[in-house]
Amino acid sequence: MTVKPQWLRVKAPQWERVGNVKEILRDLSLNTVCEEASCPNIGECFNAGTATFLIMGPACTRACPYCDIDFEKKPQPLDPTEPQRLAQAVQRLKLNHVVITSVNRDDLPDGGASQFVECIQAVRSAMPDTTIEVLIPDLCGNWQALEIILAAGPEVLNHNTETVKRLYRKVRPQGKYDRTLELLQRSRELAPGVYTKSGIMVGLGETDAEIREAMQDLRAVGCDILTVGQYLQPTQKHLNVENFVPPEQFDAWRKFGESLGFLQVVASPLTRSSYHAEQVRELMKLYPR
């Protein structure tokens, strides 16, 4: 694995706080993408008392070669108690903003949309002032399933683009670049009051021009919020890091994104799609829907 540069080093977390969050998650038998996907910000986020909840189990039906989430285990049936357990965790962690995501569940007719809805409703009932962000898979293009999720009323609909169009077959072999854009466009049309969001990884061999083109494509379909972060190779069996992008390049992309009209662009080497996601609460005040 390539040696990481200085700017990718993270501070050691305060393990007492991290342990408290982990204890709550274990007590309620919940998964987080923070742990399953080996996120480099886990210490900072757990120290802040936040987590991105991974519903429908930790086993994915796809095998994207950049992702550390397990795809070798067999997905389990949906757990009807999961939404209430998630809502209890939000209460115990006193979250103002919660991110709910999932693995790809291509084995389910609706891609797991119904479970997203149950989780949104449970959190809304338990913590009515908590804003809710759902980070969803592409649902295999099932737009009825997308409509069901949006009808449940999350404040933010997030779906990651992940990479540029040229690299899609290599990075997301079971995904489609145009389908990602269509999902975001349909979300804007179906629920104009919901903020749409997407994220891009860099360091996989894309060019600056390709990143800018992807940003333009996302703005063209009405995407409001964009995150851009450095890809980090989880293990030797995953895709190699082709290059480490310096912080100043992320600043250039942030400025370019702002010039395109994104409401917010978060771009830095350690940025991830759910990193500092709670900032959307301030965004909603500045740009009410």
Side-chain angles (χ1 to χ4, degrees), residues 220-238:
V221 296
C223 185
D224 296 308
I225 304 166
L226 176 67
T227 59
V228 185
Q230 170 74 51
Y231 166 68
L232 298 175
Q233 184 183 19
T235 71
Q236 291 282 7
K237 67 180 181 181
H238 290 85

Side-chain angles (χ1 to χ4, degrees), residues 191-219:
V194 175
Y195 298 82
T196 53
K197 178 177 176 180
S198 193
I200 300 173
M201 301 179 296
V202 298
L204 287 163
E206 69 290 322
T207 67
D208 173 63
E210 288 176 320
I211 289 292
R212 290 171 183 260
E213 181 181 23
M215 293 170 73
Q216 290 172 321
D217 288 344
L218 287 166
R219 271 306 296 149

